[in-house]
Amino acid sequence: MKVLLVDDSKTMRNIQKSILTQLGVTAMEEACDGLDALSKVNSFSPDLILLDWNMPNMDGLTFIKEYRGSGATTPVIMVTTEGEKSRVIEAIKAGVNNYVIKPFTPDVLNQRIKETLAKAQAA
């Protein structure tokens, strides 16, 4: 499985990489914001994207709108501090498949990844 990590925090990307490595994921690409992610996503062809909301240059919501607008169907999990119900709904309407609120435990992230991939395979 190939995972694209999109977060402006190097520390958060390292935490996600550590959890994903424990889950057996070996192919990971990192992007520091939405623009960086757009430049890498097609050549990397991830099976899953973990996406932060609040980033410079291009935030996660703008990224998901552009990415989905291109016809892409790769599952995306928003991993963010934005926990208000209206924000969660806004992100889901824009095309994210699941949502994890920071801070999170490895178990929560693992569960969301499994849920999201199972739904994507069923679709």
Side-chain angles (χ1 to χ4, degrees), residues 30-41:
E30 296 179 49
C32 60
D33 59 41
L35 281 176
D36 191 23
L38 281 177
S39 75
K40 293 176 176 176
V41 71

Side-chain angles (χ1 to χ4, degrees), residues 6 12 21 30 36 66 72 77 88 91 94 105-106 115 119:
V6 188
M12 183 52 62
T21 300
E30 296 179 49
D36 191 23
E66 288 209 13
I77 301 175
V88 175
T105 64
E115 284 171 12
K119 277 185 200 166

Side-chain angles (χ1 to χ4, degrees), residues 42-118:
N42 290 330
S43 60
F44 183 63
S45 300
D47 301 304
L48 177 68
I49 299 172
L50 299 184
L51 179 68
D52 186 22
W53 189 311
N54 297 304
M55 298 176 288
N57 303 316
M58 179 187 284
D59 67 18
L61 194 65
T62 305
F63 168 84
I64 191 68
K65 288 176 179 174
E66 288 209 13
Y67 187 59
R68 290 294 185 236
S70 73
T73 58
T74 301
V76 177
I77 301 175
M78 185 73 84
V79 183
T80 180
T81 56
E82 297 290 341
E84 284 178 43
K85 190 173 184 183
S86 64
R87 299 289 256 174
V88 175
I89 292 167
E90 185 179 5
I92 289 169
K93 282 183 179 172
V96 302
N97 300 82
N98 216 325
Y99 209 90
V100 176
I101 297 169
K102 296 177 190 174
F104 55 85
T105 64
D107 287 344
V108 167
L109 186 61
N110 185 16
Q111 184 61 40
R112 291 294 186 284
I113 289 170
K114 285 181 175 171
E115 284 171 12
T116 304
L117 294 175

